[in-house]
Amino acid sequence: MVKFLPLRQAVAENLKNGDTVAFEGFTHLIPTAAAHEAIRQGFRDLTLIRMTPDLIYDQMIGMGMAKKIVFSYVGNPGVGLLRRARDAIENAFPRSIEVEEHSHAGMANAYEAGAAGLPCAVFRGYRGAGLAAVNPNIKSVTCPFTGEVLAAVPSIRPDVTFIHAQKADKKGNVLVEGIIGIQKEAVLAARRAVVTVEEVVDNFDDLHPNLTVLPRWTIAAISVVPGGSHPSYAHGYYARDNAAYLSWDEIAADREKFQAWMQANVIEKNADDFAARVEHLRKAA
């Protein structure tokens, strides 16, 4: 049964050392506050799954939390590479990490298969690409009906998925608006799901029935964290903080500067700090 909890408690009760975990969001509604809480609690040996690892995974990797990353694009969107991730991959700093790279289609289909309870995803993909040569989890199967050779990848079934969304109702149902990405499937594929939201409303009775709603039985915990997606955006609430993405490239380029920034802006902060971060972005939403 879904519980409304402070973020610190929601993370502590649902994330464990060694878990396979997805912090999903596709440009929009990235669960930054949840990732920062995980950093503060110091989890280790995580397998981090996400279609588009950006700043939050750069931060988690830089803090030594990841033993493996599974992804289909890794970078600082609109800026360049992830410098802490690159340092870990190339120099094993602060520790070595395993890398499993897929295409967007491969990841999306793997989440879909996980949400459906299937062991693998079968689809048309990876043709003419070299990923299969470096990723042993990309296989091929022959369709028993047509003889067509198709790609196959293991389904993604996280121990826990974290997402950010606009609203929850008082029963614990969650509304996601705008660019949805793979958040819905990532929640349905997970054994546990934690959702941070901008606000709680009485109900969704006045909303269009085709809006994306995650029913309360799919969610373990909900935490109210206004601004919890910053520096990404939340459709209808606040705009993307482009300056933060630009500044991250310089911060992450230096190991000592990175550590100092993390101490001041993550370790010594809490979830309540996010509301203030987005005030200047709300009019532009």
Side-chain angles (χ1 to χ4, degrees):
M1 182 176 179
V2 63
K3 297 186 286 186
F4 287 87
L5 298 173
L7 183 58
R8 181 177 182 178
Q9 184 179 352
V11 172
E13 289 188 3
N14 288 283
L15 184 60
K16 301 176 179 63
N17 290 330
D19 271 355
T20 296
V21 56
F23 290 81
E24 271 296 351
F26 196 80
T27 302
H28 174 235
L29 297 174
I30 294 170
T32 310
H36 283 188
E37 184 56 45
I39 291 169
R40 281 190 289 273
Q41 294 189 28
F43 292 98
R44 289 291 183 268
D45 296 324
L46 301 176
T47 295
L48 298 177
I49 301 175
R50 188 167 159 198
M51 286 182 67
T52 55
D54 63 358
L55 272 58
I56 58 172
Y57 275 21
D58 209 28
Q59 292 165 3
M60 297 173 84
I61 291 167
M63 296 299 286
M65 298 172 66
K67 70 175 182 180
K68 180 179 180 179
I69 54 172
V70 181
F71 63 93
S72 51
Y73 162 87
V74 58
N76 184 344
V79 180
L81 54 83
L82 291 183
R83 296 184 183 274
R84 292 299 91 223
R86 182 171 184 170
D87 205 7
I89 293 168
E90 293 185 348
N91 303 312
F93 184 89
R95 61 172 292 178
S96 61
I97 58 172
E98 298 177 57
V99 172
E100 182 178 328
E101 184 176 1
H102 290 274
S103 66
H104 280 343
M107 291 282 288
N109 277 279
Y111 271 125
E112 287 267 15
L118 297 172
C120 69
V122 177
F123 60 103
R124 293 186 178 96
Y126 298 109
R127 295 176 180 176
L131 279 175
V134 296
N135 183 349
N137 279 333
I138 299 172
K139 306 288 187 182
S140 62
V141 296
T142 301
C143 174
F145 303 104
T146 66
E148 182 181 4
V149 178
L150 301 167
V153 294
S155 62
I156 293 176
R157 295 296 307 274
D159 293 306
V160 56
T161 288
F162 292 88
I163 67 166
H164 188 73
Q166 282 95 344
K167 296 180 179 75
D169 68 14
K170 290 185 176 179
K171 294 180 180 178
N173 303 298
V174 167
L175 173 67
V176 186
E177 298 177 285
I179 296 175
I180 295 171
I182 204 69
Q183 288 98 308
K184 175 171 65 74
E185 289 78 8
V187 166
L188 297 178
R191 293 171 176 83
R192 304 179 297 280
V194 176
V195 183
T196 54
V197 296
E198 293 291 325
E199 62 176 326
V200 175
V201 298
D202 288 337
N203 55 61
F204 298 147
D205 292 349
D206 60 340
L207 298 175
H208 193 284
N210 286 336
L211 292 172
T212 299
V213 177
L214 291 165
R216 60 185 182 271
W217 53 265
T218 66
I219 299 163
I222 295 171
S223 299
V224 181
V225 187
S229 186
H230 179 269
S232 74
Y233 72 100
H235 174 75
Y237 288 80
Y238 46 88
R240 188 179 190 264
D241 190 347
N242 292 316
Y245 285 91
L246 288 168
S247 65
W248 182 252
D249 190 57
E250 181 181 352
I251 294 163
D254 182 87
R255 293 174 181 177
E256 292 184 2
K257 184 177 288 188
F258 164 77
Q259 287 291 341
W261 190 95
M262 293 297 292
Q263 184 66 33
N265 293 279
V266 179
I267 304 302
E268 296 177 3
K269 300 291 185 179
N270 58 51
D272 296 334
D273 177 63
F274 276 84
R277 298 184 191 186
V278 300
E279 280 307 309
H280 70 292
L281 300 165
R282 290 192 182 276
K283 290 183 179 179

